[in-house]
Amino acid sequence: MCVGVPAKVLHIESFSALVDVMGSQMNVGIIFVPEVKIGDYVIVHAGQAMSIIDEQYAQESLEEWRKLVDARSDGSLNT
Amino acid sequence: MLEVTDHSTLSQMLLQEVKTLADRFQQTFGRIPSFMEVCGSHTMALARTGVKKALEGYVRLISGPGCPVCVTDQVTIDAMISLTDGVNRIICTFGDMVRVLGSYGTLMQAKTEGKDVRVVYSPVDAVRIAEQHPHQEVIFLGIGFETTIPILAAAVKEAEEKQVRNFSMWMSTKLVEPILRQLLHDGEVALDGFLLPGHVSMVMGRKHFEFLATEYNIPAVISGFEALDMLSALRHLLLLSLEQRAVVLNDYKSVVTEQGNVQAKYWMNHYFTLCDEAWRGIGVIFDSGMDFKSEYNQFNAKVKFPIPTREPRRTKCRCGEVIRGLIDPPQCALFGRACTPLNPIGPCMVSSEGSCAAYYQYMREE
């Protein structure tokens, strides 16, 4: 039940935002992410935006996995 | 953006990596590693993506007590269903609850008998229903973990601001930290590490789980919900276990921060306070849930509509042991026979993220 879905913020109006979730548009609350901007991606859970997705970290994860695949990791922790 | 095939290739390579590390673990310690996925969404995702099946014999993945419906005790379920007996009421709920079998029926049965039971996407929708029906009492069944508790607070905030007096909430929420402490204290299940819930961590922050490493000396990794996310987290867990390092690692940094969502925590603590909660098969755990502060009792359905507790009907359902990781679903005599997704007896079979439902759909040998 604690699952959230990523959504793109299209429009902001006081305490709610219009977001796009995989092609469907819906209004969600934004009281938990007051700093959100149009164009941000957010995690939506039960009608509220709960977190702004940090795209830099998302890209870094992909890069880390790619490097792992390329190098077939020697087992050292990259933390 | 990555192509799907790229994701698939990365997943296959990561899976191979996890298997290699699991082999190394087995050679080092003479047994396969046991990790618990705490979150019900992880339970379903591990089964659905085939990760759990692919790792059989390499890594034992134990489903933990992270499905809110599954951990709600029978007395509470019965009380929530009893709320439909009152006149002039609209009962609103998340969809997970409607088919859960109480001692004397389900919410779905109550609905077929003419009771006004409505599934809503968000508790805020229940506030709107209350505004549209000012002469009826609207009660929302507030179940959930830390991801959902702020959402419940947002609905109360809306009802308070709009002065909606016919809206209330029957709270039965659960917190992750107390149940993990309980499991570790009991020591009934031997664990090498935890796969921590990504969205609970999104609210509570990485630091909240630091106690696992500092107090219990056990590694834990916060994970997302895609196959790649979970395989990456399992790889980190295996590396930490092999190096015998107790660390709480955030492997979902795109969503989870060190401190979590400060606003969400603020509103949770604004309306709610810690309370003792009864867990299925475990009993009451001190300060393991949240309920209304007394100054907000006008929204507290337990105060507005007290329900006398009844002794629940006994069944052979072993969900209480399943959620503690003591048995796998097939070890319950009812699993796949009397209890199936079409005719569920226990909440772990009803819930979309219950261990029994996941096992039935994705893990059974045909």
Side-chain angles (χ1 to χ4, degrees):
Chain A
M1 221 181 87
C2 290
V3 80
V5 292
K8 187 177 184 176
V9 177
L10 303 174
H11 179 71
I12 295 170
E13 198 169 308
S14 62
F15 297 113
S16 73
L18 181 70
V19 299
D20 180 289
V21 186
M22 292 181 287
S24 299
Q25 293 188 4
M26 63 189 292
N27 279 298
V28 298
I30 54 170
I31 61 164
F32 303 132
V33 286
E35 70 278 31
V36 75
K37 303 185 301 295
I38 289 170
D40 281 347
Y41 282 86
V42 290
I43 294 281
V44 172
H45 171 62
Q48 297 286 339
M50 299 296 290
S51 175
I52 300 167
I53 298 172
D54 188 319
E55 288 191 76
Q56 190 187 332
Y57 277 126
Q59 281 304 320
E60 280 176 15
S61 292
L62 288 172
E63 286 310 311
E64 187 191 332
W65 295 330
R66 272 216 189 85
K67 278 184 202 154
L68 183 76
V69 167
D70 292 344
R72 295 296 289 123
S73 173
D74 61 358
S76 59
L77 260 182
N78 303 315
T79 56
Chain B
M1 273 308 270
L2 273 183
E3 296 298 323
V4 173
T5 50
D6 201 357
H7 267 277
S8 175
T9 306
L10 282 172
S11 296
Q12 286 302 322
M13 299 296 275
L14 264 176
L15 177 64
Q16 206 46 54
E17 181 77 13
V18 168
K19 284 181 174 179
T20 303
L21 290 169
D23 278 341
R24 198 185 303 169
F25 183 101
Q26 195 164 356
Q27 287 156 13
T28 308
F29 301 107
R31 57 183 176 80
I32 69 167
S34 294
F35 299 132
M36 178 178 275
E37 88 270 5
V38 175
C39 178
S41 300
H42 273 150
T43 297
M44 194 44 97
L46 285 163
R48 192 185 57 242
T49 55
V51 168
K52 184 162 179 161
K53 203 158 182 66
L55 290 175
E56 274 182 339
Y58 291 92
V59 176
R60 183 171 178 231
L61 290 166
I62 301 163
S63 301
C67 150
V69 173
C70 310
V71 298
T72 303
D73 77 316
Q74 202 60 47
V75 171
T76 305
I77 299 276
D78 289 348
M80 285 178 165
I81 295 170
S82 297
L83 283 170
T84 61
D85 293 338
V87 290
N88 216 23
R89 289 179 191 173
I90 301 171
I91 307 299
C92 293
T93 176
F94 289 125
D96 309 58
M97 277 293 295
V98 287
R99 292 172 67 233
V100 176
L101 190 60
S103 298
Y104 309 96
T106 66
L107 286 170
M108 184 67 87
Q109 283 167 354
K111 190 174 174 70
T112 57
E113 288 162 11
K115 306 287 169 49
D116 198 341
V117 178
R118 305 185 190 190
V119 172
V120 294
Y121 168 60
S122 166
V124 170
D125 296 339
V127 178
R128 297 199 181 118
I129 290 169
E131 286 180 281
Q132 291 157 5
H133 299 81
H135 303 299
Q136 287 176 282
E137 286 289 343
V138 173
I139 306 167
F140 183 79
L141 305 181
I143 64 164
F145 281 92
E146 289 96 328
T147 318
T148 310
I149 299 171
I151 310 277
L152 303 178
V156 179
K157 181 174 183 285
E158 182 142 335
E160 185 184 29
E161 285 170 356
K162 292 182 172 175
Q163 298 188 334
V164 182
R165 298 186 204 288
N166 60 324
F167 168 82
S168 60
M169 207 178 278
W170 185 285
M171 294 279 284
S172 176
T173 62
K174 303 284 189 289
L175 301 174
V176 171
E177 180 189 343
I179 190 64
L180 293 190
R181 286 184 183 275
Q182 179 82 20
L183 288 172
L184 291 165
H185 275 300
D186 287 350
E188 290 172 312
V189 186
L191 291 172
D192 296 297
F194 285 103
L195 196 72
L196 290 174
H199 292 145
V200 166
S201 304
M202 168 178 77
V203 171
M204 301 307 289
R206 187 208 66 86
K207 217 168 164 51
H208 178 75
F209 290 104
E210 190 80 319
F211 74 95
L212 291 168
T214 56
E215 295 179 46
Y216 295 95
N217 200 36
I218 191 164
V221 179
I222 296 166
S223 170
F225 298 89
E226 301 298 324
L228 270 173
D229 294 327
M230 296 183 296
L231 286 164
S232 172
L234 287 169
R235 173 181 168 266
H236 281 303
L237 263 181
L238 281 160
L239 287 167
L240 289 168
S241 303
L242 282 163
E243 295 175 11
Q244 296 186 289
R245 288 174 61 207
V247 172
V248 176
L249 198 71
N250 180 4
D251 200 29
Y252 195 30
K253 284 186 183 154
S254 56
V255 168
V256 176
T257 62
E258 195 68 0
Q259 299 298 337
N261 188 319
V262 177
Q263 287 287 331
K265 287 194 279 191
Y266 169 82
W267 288 110
M268 266 167 81
N269 293 309
H270 180 81
Y271 290 108
F272 308 132
T273 186
L274 292 174
C275 68
D276 300 348
E277 272 288 335
W279 295 65
R280 180 177 295 270
I282 297 168
V284 173
I285 301 176
F286 174 74
D287 275 357
S288 63
M290 293 191 97
D291 208 338
F292 281 98
K293 288 179 175 175
S294 56
E295 56 263 46
Y296 296 107
N297 272 348
Q298 72 267 34
F299 299 111
N300 188 343
K302 287 178 193 165
V303 172
K304 283 176 87 172
F305 313 105
I307 300 278
T309 57
R310 288 188 288 185
E311 186 63 29
R313 187 180 291 171
R314 290 185 176 278
T315 77
K316 290 183 177 158
C317 165
R318 296 179 71 186
C319 280
E321 291 159 274
V322 170
I323 61 168
R324 279 140 70 205
L326 300 182
I327 63 166
D328 287 328
Q331 290 171 263
C332 173
L334 304 180
F335 178 82
R337 299 177 183 88
C339 182
T340 65
L342 281 177
N343 180 37
I345 291 175
C348 297
M349 188 64 90
V350 178
S351 171
S352 57
E353 53 187 35
S355 305
C356 297
Y359 204 101
Y360 189 94
Q361 280 176 269
Y362 299 108
M363 302 288 293
R364 279 180 313 148
E365 297 296 338
E366 294 298 339

